[in-house]
Amino acid sequence: MNNKPKTKLLTIGLLCCGRPETTERCLKSLMPIREAIDSELQVVDTGCEPETRAIIEKYADEVFEFTWIKDFAAARNFQLDQANGKMFLFIDDDEWFLDTKYIIEFFKNPKCLEYNLGGYFQRNYLDFEAKEYEDIEVVRMCSVTPETHFIGKVHEYIEPSFGNAMFMDARAGHFGYVYKDEKDNIAHSMRNIPLLEEMWEEMPDNLRWPYQLAQELRAIKDFERLYEVCHKGYCDSFDIKERESLQYRGPFMIGMVIALEAKEKFDEILKLYNEQMAKDEIMPIPKAKFSIYAAKIMFTRNMNEECVKAAQYYFDIYEKFGKDRGQMFVQGGIFINDTYDELHTNLMYCYIMTCGMRNDDFGPLVHYYRRISWNSLVVRINRGFVITLIDKACEYGNKREIRDVLNKFFIRPGFRDVLQKEIDNSAPQLTDEQLNNLLAVFNQTDGKKEMSMFINIRLMERAFHYEEYATIDELQEKLNEYIDLVDAWYDLHQQWIEEEDNSATPTEVQLVNGIKQFFELQDNATAALTSLKNIMGLRPMMDEVLKNLSKFYTDIIKVRQAKANDPVKFQEMYNLEEALLKQIADLDVAGKTDEAVATYQQLVEIIRNAYGVDSLHI
């Protein structure tokens, strides 16, 4: 209990357990607040090594020691009892403020003392490169009164939790939920799960504990238990009359859906969705999150009308509540706070546009494609949308509605790569007419030059299937054309590649490099044939060509060897073949086709039996 006279406006509190690199980053980020606001920085050392302790002492006004007892609330309450500030702001030692402007503005306003609760946004990075993240509201500020205290051995919270609240428009970076590997992820959750279970047993009417437990169970992919905990929490929410019951009910429902999806119980998800949409048991934003799961199933099952309806509900709720951060906080929480992130909004736009195209209705495409955040650092779009867009381009050719959307795919290299991958997957099933329709539409886009080469590579690969080559020289001439086209395309392709792109070399380039190697190694039969063997399967459409090339080359080797082993006999057989070929030609000119064919077959059989090849004239 803090009854101390308040000599400061603000106490900034930090629990520190011994991470020197993150601790110093955190402390440095607090300095602008310290300099601008009547404040103090107090650090509680819960077991730091000397290196970290030295860093803390450089920045902190006071450092207190606390023996760790596996109880975050106990440590926070100890810290709170030391505070000299009227207000208390705390941050974890693995977080750091990205910008303190709005925090400073808030505490410089005399009205800040009218708020007894508040916080900021924790920016949880989803990768170590900080390209993707989720911003979630975290309660990290309170007024300091004798009644103010923390509850919870883990995922602790502040009480009293009512009154005026203010979320400052500030972000604290956090890599705490990005793990080096699955083992680290599981270890983190397994530390928390027993503590949460203890809290739930001690406070069975407090839904916060199953709510937080659900988050940890999802992290370790224990979907059976996740469903059980969320189902119980959902049912209990109707019996517990506390004001938070409705707020927790939506996340419990979504937790059940996450578990059902993991177990591929899609019919049960749709049944639950239809039941919830007909009731008012969960709030609108959780229903909107539920719509994402339902729309995905409907989309994959070609339930186009139902999918569009689910997506429209999602966007209707966004228009009503999605821009209201207060409502997002009240209705949200775990499993809900990402409802309107770019990933999900882009996904729902893709569903609506694809369902329209499936019915040859391009109105939704025109209406929604500009709403996708094409310029974001990381953009994910639905694969089914891309496939359908390509299918319609193959069908309609240079249709303005399709062309305008395809042109967006040349904003970033990643989009272009997605297109090329899907076209390559489809190419074996496409007709020449469909590929030429693709050429027509891409010729009106910013990717005209590269896509023209890319599609012509597919047309050339197809041509190899129905063209016959009498000699290795004819085949080599055609392969050289293919090599030149692939090289030209790849030169242009590489101009797009971003520095961090570490994707594999395209298969057509690997194939061409192998063919080049073969031509360079023809004096070494073993090495040459090995180079062909190594590229078999890279481009299945080209495997037959490689087999033909291998056969031509093997026959050449056999002929050379036969000539070297017995030059006289070889020359006799060579002359015989030459004479019979002239005789066959004369028969053919005389209209004696059947006799010409029979003679040729006899000739081939003789040479094959003698040398293992069909002809010595190679």
Side-chain angles (χ1 to χ4, degrees):
M1 180 181 294
N2 188 318
N3 288 306
K4 296 174 69 174
K6 302 300 179 281
T7 59
K8 297 285 184 181
L9 170 63
L10 174 67
T11 294
I12 305 171
L14 180 72
L15 297 182
C16 188
C17 63
R19 293 172 279 200
E21 65 289 340
T22 63
T23 298
E24 181 148 30
R25 181 174 59 187
C26 174
L27 291 166
K28 280 183 177 179
S29 77
L30 299 172
M31 290 304 102
I33 304 173
R34 286 285 292 109
E35 293 167 5
I37 303 299
D38 175 25
S39 60
E40 63 180 353
L41 173 57
Q42 295 182 336
V43 177
V44 173
D45 178 350
T46 62
C48 295
E49 296 296 326
E51 180 186 0
T52 309
R53 180 64 179 248
I55 292 169
I56 292 169
E57 291 175 349
K58 285 196 306 183
Y59 295 91
D61 295 298
E62 292 183 280
V63 180
F64 304 94
E65 293 185 0
F66 180 84
T67 301
W68 182 244
I69 56 173
K70 296 184 179 180
D71 188 328
F72 279 94
R76 296 285 188 205
N77 285 327
F78 171 79
Q79 182 175 46
L80 190 62
D81 287 345
Q82 319 310 317
N84 298 300
K86 298 174 184 177
M87 305 290 288
F88 183 70
L89 177 74
F90 66 99
I91 186 171
D92 289 341
D93 64 354
D94 62 344
E95 298 175 353
W96 75 101
F97 281 117
L98 302 173
D99 185 356
T100 57
K101 173 185 174 184
Y102 293 106
I103 294 176
I104 292 169
E105 285 183 3
F106 173 75
F107 285 109
K108 278 193 170 183
N109 188 331
K111 292 185 178 181
C112 69
L113 294 173
E114 296 177 6
Y115 295 91
N116 66 316
L117 205 66
Y120 48 82
F121 295 93
Q122 187 183 65
R123 175 156 291 179
N124 286 313
Y125 293 109
L126 306 178
D127 55 73
F128 285 113
E129 292 74 36
K131 288 183 177 180
E132 296 186 81
Y133 56 82
E134 293 176 355
D135 286 347
I136 63 169
E137 300 94 338
V138 288
V139 178
R140 297 291 181 80
M141 180 190 77
C142 62
S143 58
V144 181
T145 71
E147 294 77 26
T148 308
H149 64 288
F150 288 86
I151 298 175
K153 295 177 181 179
V154 67
H155 294 303
E156 67 281 8
Y157 66 97
I158 301 169
E159 284 287 358
S161 59
F162 53 85
N164 290 337
M166 166 60 72
F167 277 93
M168 295 167 284
D169 192 15
R171 269 77 182 162
H174 184 234
F175 283 103
Y177 297 128
V178 185
Y179 302 101
K180 290 182 294 185
D181 50 40
E182 188 62 19
K183 183 179 178 181
D184 274 0
N185 178 22
I186 292 173
H188 180 272
S189 291
M190 293 307 293
R191 180 203 70 181
N192 292 342
I193 286 173
L195 298 175
L196 290 167
E197 289 173 332
E198 288 176 20
M199 294 306 303
W200 194 10
E201 185 175 351
E202 291 172 15
M203 306 171 68
D205 290 338
N206 189 331
L207 294 174
R208 178 181 179 83
W209 308 122
Y211 167 83
Q212 293 290 353
L213 179 58
Q215 179 177 221
E216 303 293 354
L217 293 170
R218 183 196 190 185
I220 64 171
K221 297 180 174 59
D222 187 347
F223 295 112
E224 288 290 343
R225 182 101 194 280
L226 173 63
Y227 184 87
E228 292 172 6
V229 168
C230 288
H231 185 265
K232 182 174 182 353
Y234 173 79
C235 294
D236 287 351
S237 72
F238 291 96
D239 298 326
I240 298 171
K241 303 304 179 184
E242 293 179 2
R243 56 190 173 84
E244 296 93 350
S245 296
L246 182 59
Q247 183 179 357
Y248 289 132
R249 191 178 300 157
F252 285 135
M253 174 57 66
I254 301 305
M256 292 163 61
V257 173
I258 291 168
L260 290 171
E261 183 185 54
K263 295 188 288 184
E264 299 185 353
K265 295 186 177 182
F266 305 122
D267 289 334
E268 288 188 38
I269 292 174
L270 290 184
K271 181 182 177 183
L272 263 181
Y273 178 71
N274 291 327
E275 289 173 356
Q276 287 299 326
M277 295 306 288
K279 300 176 182 177
D280 292 320
E281 290 182 350
I282 62 176
M283 290 189 280
I285 294 176
K287 281 187 179 180
K289 181 63 181 288
F290 203 160
S291 295
I292 298 170
Y293 291 93
K296 179 181 178 181
I297 298 167
M298 295 164 179
F299 181 82
T300 57
R301 294 183 175 185
N302 289 321
M303 299 166 63
N304 297 329
E305 186 177 341
E306 295 89 342
C307 181
V308 169
K309 185 177 178 181
Q312 286 174 338
Y313 177 83
Y314 172 88
F315 288 115
D316 287 345
I317 298 305
Y318 177 71
E319 291 301 318
K320 190 172 182 179
F321 297 114
K323 300 172 187 177
D324 185 335
R325 296 302 307 187
Q327 281 295 321
M328 288 294 292
F329 178 73
V330 169
Q331 298 188 34
I334 60 170
F335 308 151
I336 310 295
N337 51 42
D338 62 346
T339 300
Y340 289 107
D341 65 9
E342 283 188 356
L343 170 63
H344 289 127
T345 54
N346 286 348
L347 184 70
M348 297 300 260
Y349 287 137
C350 286
Y351 288 159
I352 292 177
M353 291 186 290
T354 306
C355 289
M357 286 191 288
R358 286 172 175 174
N359 294 319
D360 292 315
D361 178 3
F362 296 95
L365 189 66
V366 173
H367 184 69
Y368 289 109
Y369 85 90
R370 293 182 182 87
R371 299 189 185 188
I372 289 179
S373 45
W374 298 98
N375 289 304
S376 292
L377 190 60
V378 176
V379 183
R380 287 196 172 92
I381 50 179
N382 176 262
R383 181 169 177 255
F385 167 68
V386 179
I387 292 172
T388 304
L389 193 64
I390 292 169
D391 287 345
K392 292 301 175 182
C394 289
E395 181 180 352
Y396 285 93
N398 186 23
K399 187 174 178 64
R400 178 181 58 80
E401 294 91 333
I402 298 171
R403 180 192 67 220
D404 290 348
V405 180
L406 286 174
N407 201 42
K408 288 289 187 181
F409 282 74
F410 300 100
I411 292 175
R412 296 280 301 280
F415 296 144
R416 171 210 58 179
D417 292 342
V418 166
L419 270 182
Q420 292 183 352
K421 179 181 178 181
E422 295 305 337
I423 291 171
D424 193 31
N425 289 340
S426 302
Q429 290 78 44
L430 297 177
T431 64
D432 284 2
E433 180 183 1
Q434 288 172 319
L435 284 169
N436 281 310
N437 279 341
L438 273 179
L439 266 178
V441 67
F442 282 118
N443 279 341
Q444 301 301 316
T445 68
D446 295 337
K448 173 183 177 179
K449 189 173 181 181
E450 182 181 347
M451 293 306 295
S452 176
M453 291 180 185
F454 181 81
I455 294 170
N456 276 315
I457 289 169
R458 271 79 218 150
L459 286 166
M460 185 173 286
E461 288 176 345
R462 180 186 302 280
F464 277 114
H465 279 273
Y466 52 76
E467 290 181 1
E468 294 184 2
Y469 304 93
T471 66
I472 193 171
D473 291 338
E474 286 184 16
L475 181 53
Q476 182 170 346
E477 182 180 355
K478 195 65 179 179
L479 283 171
N480 282 334
E481 291 180 28
Y482 179 76
I483 289 168
D484 290 344
L485 183 57
V486 170
D487 283 345
W489 165 74
Y490 193 50
D491 284 345
L492 193 58
H493 182 85
Q494 287 183 297
Q495 294 174 23
W496 281 78
I497 293 176
E498 296 175 327
E499 287 185 11
E500 65 273 18
D501 190 340
N502 57 358
S503 56
T505 304
T507 54
E508 49 270 78
V509 177
Q510 295 180 53
L511 180 78
V512 157
N513 290 339
I515 296 172
K516 289 178 184 176
Q517 187 180 48
F518 166 77
F519 288 140
E520 291 169 1
L521 295 172
Q522 287 190 70
D523 290 340
N524 184 334
T526 301
L529 290 171
T530 299
S531 69
L532 289 184
K533 180 181 177 181
N534 290 340
I535 57 176
M536 287 291 291
L538 279 174
R539 305 281 304 164
M541 287 193 72
M542 294 292 287
D543 282 354
E544 196 61 35
V545 178
L546 297 180
K547 290 176 184 176
N548 289 339
L549 183 61
S550 177
K551 185 178 185 308
F552 274 129
Y553 179 68
T554 303
D555 286 353
I556 289 173
I557 297 301
K558 289 178 179 178
V559 169
R560 287 176 183 170
Q561 192 172 9
K563 187 175 182 179
N565 290 342
D566 191 339
V568 175
K569 181 181 177 182
F570 177 86
Q571 190 61 47
E572 289 176 356
M573 188 67 74
Y574 185 90
N575 293 339
L576 173 63
E577 180 185 11
E578 195 167 66
L580 285 174
L581 287 173
K582 184 178 183 304
Q583 181 182 337
I584 289 166
D586 291 342
L587 289 170
D588 197 40
V589 170
K592 299 179 180 179
T593 305
D594 292 342
E595 190 176 344
V597 170
T599 304
Y600 179 73
Q601 290 173 341
Q602 290 173 357
L603 172 63
V604 169
E605 187 175 352
I606 292 168
I607 296 174
R608 189 179 292 158
N609 289 335
Y611 297 107
V613 298
D614 292 344
S615 173
L616 302 178
H617 284 64
I618 297 177

